[in-house]
Amino acid sequence: MKLVYLAIFLLLVLCAHAQNDDETIFDEFTLNIGDRIEIGNYRILFIEVQSEKDGLAILGVSKPGGTLDEQRVMLVNNANTFDGGAEEGGLTITVEEIFDDQTAKVRVEHKENMGTARKRVSEGPKIAKNVPNLIVKKNLDKGRLTVGEDVKVTVTVKNIGTGTASSIQLEDLPPLSEFTFLAGYPPKIKDKLEPEESDSAIYVMTAVNDGSVKVPSIQVKYKDSKENQKSNNSAPFDLIIDPKSKPQLNIEMVPSGPLPAGGQGLLNISIANIGRASATKIKIESDIEPSVGFEAIGLDKTFFEIPPGKIESYSAQLIGKNSGNYTIILRAAYSSSEESMLSEMQTEIVVLEREYKYLYLLLIIPIMAIAVWILKRYREYKY
Amino acid sequence: MLNVLMLGIGQCGNRILDAINKEAFGGSMINKYCFGPKFPSRVDTLAINTAINDLKELRFTLAKDRLHVPNLHGVGANRYNGKQAFWDNRDMIMEEIEKRGDIDITFVITSTSGGTGSSFSPLLIQELKRRYRKICVIIVAVLPFREEGAIYLQNAAFSIRELMEAEADGLILVDNQYLKRYSGDIASAYDKINSMVAQRLLFLIDSLDSEMLMVTDLGDFKTVMSGGLCIGTIGFFQSDKKNPSVKSAIENSLKPSNLLYPANVYDDAARAMVIIQGSKEYLEVDEITKEIERLSASAGQVFKGLVVKRGYPKVLSVFTLASVPELESLYAQAARAIQDEKDRKKRAKKQLTDAFAHIEDMDEIY
Ligand SMILES: Nc1nc2c(ncn2[C@@H]2O[C@H](COP(=O)(O)OP(=O)(O)OP(=O)(O)O)[C@@H](O)[C@H]2O)c(=O)[nH]1
Ligand SMILES: [Mg+2]
């Protein structure tokens, strides 16, 4: 019985050994253009990426002695067999992924007994020949501008690659609502640019709204010689558009305090131009609510001009006839260079109830006088 | 303007003086506190007394116008003690009077029957006459109620004599006994008499100092007071709406019932002065003249003064008398009283000596 077990064990070991010799294994490599893989007698060369977009790469496979020398365009994730494929003792090669126009991931399957696959890095330039590379820049002639101002935008495209770029197109992303575009928009540059060649386009736009604007990147789209679509973006940047310079009048009213009924007071008024342009033909008009019981003299006034940052002050006389709360409304109508403007301000004036506070003195004084007099008299007659 | 000094001496004099001050205030307490006294001339008042309580009682006289002559327990109706007190304090009293400045006329108001007033006054008048040569001194002497007692009667008798001897310019009599009829109780009788005297004296001063036409002056007054016995009195009448006739006002002012001392003007007057005050329309010259003439027929000299002032006629008559029968009867009464007093004293003394006789020649035995 023991012999039988032993025989079965041996058989199994033998079988396993026999299977192992026949094993198909695979290796994966990330290759740059010009890199090679060597396995057994085979040499695999990564020649170029034919189309990133379509997933096509060109690889060459050769054997010494000229028995095999083949260049093949391989589609990503499609297996290509050489000498009947790995099962038959040949090779199966698959491009698994194309990273860019220089780099791809490749899988090589083979029989184990062919040895280990080795990568040989190419010493020559890695850049593929005939590859265009466009960079794009957008420049404004001003770092800061004001609503209504024009700005000149220069778009420059330069080919820093090795191949000719064709079908070049510029696209602003997106066109800015803060601007109206006057001339030269959309920008046009040459359809084709040879390596080291550059071209620029200029357009002019006007700021229409104020605020802080993020100027987006401009995109250049082009094709290389193999009709591969490529693109590049300029860097976005920030821009501040200041509001248009206008005058702005600020009215300030400072009353001298609550008025006693029947009393008088002062109202100091200052008109400050806190805008950035001169206000002209300033006309100040007033309203008092309620209109009876209170009077103000000298509220209305005209000024020819108040330059920016300047203050005009004057004062009005207030006459409180009846007690109550009154509102003085001042309206300043003025002109800027192109429009009429209006500023308004109101203030409360309190006219106090008639004060009887010190009136008792009028009573007390004579009473005291009489008391003193009577006391004096009393003393004179006291014996 | 006349400089008048009113001296009120003793309780009676003090109280009449206070009444004069009250009259000058228009009689009201409020006026006293609010306004000054309104005298017609420059009038000074001075109340003099030995009894401080009498001075304290006064209401309308300034404290500085009250002079207390310090004397232990008063003089108690004793004129000897009164005289002694005056001599002891004469300089102080005269100094106080001197402070009043110039004096044209002095009224010395006193009762004749008390101790202080009746003894001070004659001496004071002598002093005044000595110091102020040109001064005119008029005594206002109050006679007692006859039933007030022997001492009062005796005091009255002696003091009147002394007052007459003091050579004052005249003596105006005010008889309590005669005026008693105005009021039931003594206190209100005093008040009534005092205010009557006060009113008349102020009216008199007013007319003496008036600057109007047809007025009497101090000289006229002195002439009147020097007539007859130099003893006189004052009559007064104030007419009203019912009878504003100046004729009846003059008549009334001379009637015994309106005098301060009982007298018959038409029979006894030696000299007279009639002062008539009132609105012009009432002062009918004819009637006034007629009345004055009627009086002149009996009295030797009548001075007439007219003061035009709003109101119904007021008439003041001042006159001196040629005879004073009432005074004589007072002296008779006084003499009787003195005699009775003497007899009573004798009898009592005899009784006592008789009583003591019982223990003559005896000794105390223990
Ligand atoms: N008309 C009048 N007579 C008064 C008044 N007071 C007192 N007599 C009278 O005056 C007399 C008394 O004299 P008084 O003045 O009181 O006495 P005196 O001078 O103060 O003297 P003494 O009191 O004795 O120190 C009495 O006959 C009273 O009737 C008064 O107010 N009016
Ligand atoms: Mg007395």
Side-chain angles (χ1 to χ4, degrees):
Chain A
M1 198 54 185
K2 271 186 184 172
L3 279 176
V4 176
Y5 287 131
L6 190 67
I8 291 169
F9 176 73
L10 283 173
L11 198 70
L12 277 174
V13 171
L14 283 174
C15 276
H17 196 247
Q19 269 181 323
N20 208 23
D21 276 350
D22 254 330
E23 191 92 27
T24 300
I25 57 168
F26 70 90
D27 290 297
E28 286 175 338
F29 300 94
T30 298
L31 301 180
N32 281 323
I33 290 167
D35 289 350
R36 283 181 296 150
I37 301 167
E38 292 176 1
I39 174 76
N41 286 333
Y42 295 99
R43 263 167 214 192
I44 306 159
L45 178 67
F46 178 39
I47 299 167
E48 73 175 335
V49 175
Q50 195 174 49
S51 172
E52 254 181 88
K53 200 179 97 190
D54 299 328
L56 298 172
I58 302 169
L59 279 84
V61 180
S62 58
K63 263 194 199 164
T67 47
L68 179 66
D69 191 3
E70 192 183 334
Q71 283 193 4
R72 219 189 265 186
V73 177
M74 296 183 189
L75 185 64
V76 169
N77 285 328
N78 272 354
N80 293 271
T81 53
F82 295 90
D83 292 337
E87 297 299 323
E88 300 298 320
L91 291 177
T92 304
I93 299 173
T94 314
V95 175
E96 293 192 297
E97 201 177 347
I98 298 175
F99 296 117
D100 56 25
D101 58 354
Q102 308 273 316
T103 325
K105 192 174 169 191
V106 177
R107 171 187 166 116
V108 182
E109 289 168 69
H110 56 90
K111 281 276 189 245
E112 197 182 13
N113 56 12
M114 284 172 75
T116 313
R118 280 206 184 83
K119 179 177 163 185
R120 296 264 181 261
V121 176
S122 124
E123 268 128 46
K126 286 173 190 155
I127 299 149
K129 283 219 162 122
N130 231 0
V131 180
N133 188 7
L134 296 192
I135 52 166
V136 61
K137 270 194 226 157
K138 195 193 226 180
N139 277 326
L140 268 59
D141 66 344
K142 288 170 190 146
R144 188 174 182 135
L145 63 159
T146 310
V147 170
E149 243 182 314
D150 293 344
V151 64
K152 202 154 89 180
V153 185
T154 309
V155 179
T156 311
V157 180
K158 186 175 184 187
N159 187 352
I160 57 161
T162 48
T164 306
S166 57
S167 309
I168 299 170
Q169 278 180 358
L170 284 173
E171 206 174 309
D172 243 343
L173 284 178
L176 289 170
S177 60
E178 281 84 358
F179 294 95
T180 52
F181 297 87
L182 291 183
Y185 194 84
K188 278 270 179 297
I189 57 160
K190 281 194 202 161
D191 192 46
K192 247 184 194 158
L193 282 177
E194 295 304 325
E196 291 302 310
E197 197 184 4
S198 72
D199 191 15
S200 59
I202 291 171
Y203 63 92
V204 179
M205 59 187 187
T206 310
V208 288
N209 291 321
D210 59 336
S212 172
V213 183
K214 193 159 195 90
V215 178
S217 49
I218 191 161
Q219 192 175 51
V220 62
K221 284 184 177 171
Y222 59 98
K223 283 181 178 159
D224 62 9
S225 53
K226 286 165 228 145
E227 291 293 304
N228 284 325
Q229 187 68 53
K230 294 188 162 197
S231 69
N232 204 353
N233 290 339
S234 68
F237 60 93
D238 291 324
L239 177 70
I240 291 170
I241 304 175
D242 290 321
K244 198 171 162 71
S245 61
K246 273 185 195 172
Q248 191 186 338
L249 294 187
N250 204 27
I251 307 175
E252 201 177 280
M253 289 186 270
V254 183
S256 55
L259 301 186
Q264 302 200 348
L266 272 187
L267 180 67
N268 290 321
I269 301 154
S270 43
I271 314 278
N273 186 354
I274 55 164
R276 298 201 292 141
S278 261
T280 53
K281 294 182 209 146
I282 301 115
K283 196 171 174 198
I284 295 153
E285 288 177 330
S286 60
D287 251 335
I288 295 173
E289 281 167 13
S291 54
V292 284
F294 182 79
E295 216 177 89
I297 299 168
L299 276 180
D300 296 3
K301 198 113 187 163
T302 53
F303 296 100
F304 181 71
E305 183 181 8
I306 302 178
K310 286 279 152 35
I311 299 175
E312 289 283 354
S313 298
Y314 64 102
S315 45
Q317 196 184 8
L318 307 179
I319 304 162
K321 291 174 183 161
N322 302 333
S323 68
N325 286 11
Y326 297 88
T327 307
I328 296 180
I329 303 154
L330 276 195
R331 284 188 200 88
Y334 54 100
S335 306
S336 68
S337 51
E338 52 213 45
E339 56 181 328
S340 322
M341 303 175 78
L342 196 73
S343 286
E344 191 178 300
M345 180 54 89
Q346 60 183 53
T347 191
E348 282 264 298
I349 306 280
V350 178
V351 178
L352 299 173
E353 294 286 335
R354 225 165 251 288
E355 283 265 20
Y356 292 106
K357 206 163 127 196
Y358 297 105
L359 223 58
Y360 69 94
L361 281 182
L362 288 180
L363 257 174
I364 276 183
I365 288 166
I367 286 173
M368 292 270 286
I370 288 168
V372 166
W373 176 258
I374 285 176
L375 189 72
K376 180 178 160 266
R377 267 303 164 89
Y378 173 76
R379 293 275 210 81
E380 279 176 357
Y381 285 91
K382 170 79 186 149
Y383 185 80
Chain B
M1 186 169 266
L2 277 182
N3 296 309
V4 183
L5 176 63
M6 297 270 195
L7 294 172
I9 308 168
Q11 185 179 20
C12 174
N14 291 168
R15 298 193 58 196
I16 291 173
L17 193 79
D18 208 42
I20 288 168
N21 275 318
K22 182 178 177 181
E23 184 74 18
F25 280 122
S28 118
M29 207 64 161
I30 294 170
N31 280 1
K32 171 182 150 186
Y33 284 115
C34 299
F35 311 103
K38 276 210 192 71
F39 284 114
S41 304
R42 202 184 69 79
V43 175
D44 268 311
T45 61
L46 182 61
I48 303 172
N49 208 330
T50 50
I52 197 157
N53 283 341
D54 292 351
L55 290 170
K56 279 185 176 161
E57 219 178 71
L58 308 182
R59 310 280 302 282
F60 292 91
T61 306
L62 286 172
K64 70 172 180 62
D65 286 349
R66 303 182 206 183
L67 179 62
H68 178 227
V69 178
N71 189 80
L72 205 67
H73 306 309
V75 303
N78 185 328
R79 296 184 66 249
Y80 289 126
N81 292 350
K83 282 176 190 170
Q84 195 55 53
F86 180 81
W87 290 126
D88 292 348
N89 296 284
R90 185 188 63 176
D91 292 343
M92 186 261 279
I93 295 167
M94 295 316 290
E95 219 169 86
E96 194 64 36
I97 288 169
E98 248 159 53
K99 278 190 208 159
R100 268 65 187 169
D102 287 346
I103 303 164
D104 297 317
I105 179 168
T106 298
F107 290 90
V108 177
I109 307 160
T110 178
S111 74
T112 51
S113 48
T116 307
S118 70
S119 58
F120 270 41
S121 298
L123 301 174
L124 182 63
I125 289 161
Q126 279 170 0
E127 272 312 296
L128 283 170
K129 277 287 182 185
R130 206 164 57 80
R131 290 185 191 218
Y132 304 85
R133 294 196 173 272
K134 279 187 247 162
I135 197 170
C136 170
V137 181
I138 303 294
I139 306 159
V140 178
V142 179
L143 303 180
F145 299 109
R146 304 299 184 263
E147 65 272 13
E148 268 180 307
I151 293 179
Y152 274 15
L153 278 172
Q154 170 199 297
N155 281 350
F158 284 92
S159 75
I160 290 168
R161 191 174 71 186
E162 278 171 24
L163 286 169
M164 292 308 294
E165 285 164 2
E167 288 179 358
D169 295 86
L171 188 146
I172 291 169
L173 285 176
V174 177
D175 195 345
N176 278 349
Q177 179 72 22
Y178 181 62
L179 298 169
K180 190 169 75 169
R181 62 201 147 92
Y182 284 115
S183 192
D185 67 301
I186 288 194
S188 56
Y190 282 161
D191 286 344
K192 174 71 185 168
I193 296 164
N194 296 352
S195 75
M196 276 170 79
V197 175
Q199 186 186 29
R200 285 167 201 219
L201 288 179
L202 287 180
F203 192 105
L204 177 67
I205 293 168
D206 191 15
S207 62
L208 293 182
D209 209 15
S210 178
E211 274 149 25
M212 287 197 184
L213 212 68
M214 288 214 20
V215 289
T216 48
D217 59 19
L218 184 56
D220 300 340
F221 179 63
K222 274 164 107 171
T223 306
V224 171
M225 290 314 295
S226 64
L229 300 168
C230 291
I231 296 174
T233 192
I234 302 177
F236 181 77
F237 187 79
Q238 179 165 7
S239 62
D240 54 20
K241 206 175 167 184
K242 266 191 258 165
N243 185 13
S245 145
V246 70
K247 179 176 178 280
S248 75
I250 295 170
E251 272 173 4
N252 275 313
S253 79
L254 296 168
K255 270 189 190 161
S257 60
N258 289 319
L259 304 180
L260 294 176
Y261 167 82
N264 188 331
V265 180
Y266 292 100
D267 293 343
D268 299 334
R271 284 174 192 170
M273 190 162 113
V274 177
I275 300 150
I276 304 149
Q277 181 190 303
S279 297
K280 215 167 188 161
E281 68 253 41
Y282 301 121
L283 306 185
E284 283 172 41
V285 183
D286 281 357
E287 293 199 339
I288 294 169
T289 317
K290 226 187 269 171
E291 280 304 310
I292 300 297
E293 273 169 5
R294 199 156 78 87
L295 182 61
S296 306
S298 51
Q301 170 68 38
V302 179
F303 292 93
K304 173 182 72 176
L306 279 183
V307 180
V308 179
K309 210 174 198 178
R310 259 182 64 90
Y312 299 113
K314 285 178 186 172
V315 179
L316 182 92
S317 55
V318 184
F319 48 88
T320 41
L321 300 163
S323 69
V324 278
E326 183 59 35
L327 206 58
E328 213 186 315
S329 82
L330 181 122
Y331 269 85
Q333 229 176 317
R336 261 199 312 279
I338 295 166
Q339 193 57 54
D340 288 354
E341 185 71 16
K342 234 183 200 166
D343 294 348
R344 244 198 318 277
K345 259 197 173 156
K346 221 188 216 165
R347 268 204 304 282
K349 201 166 183 192
K350 169 120 192 344
Q351 223 170 30
L352 204 59
T353 358
D354 289 350
F356 292 158
H358 290 292
I359 55 161
E360 224 175 37
D361 303 330
M362 288 186 181
D363 287 316
E364 297 125 293
I365 306 163
Y366 300 104

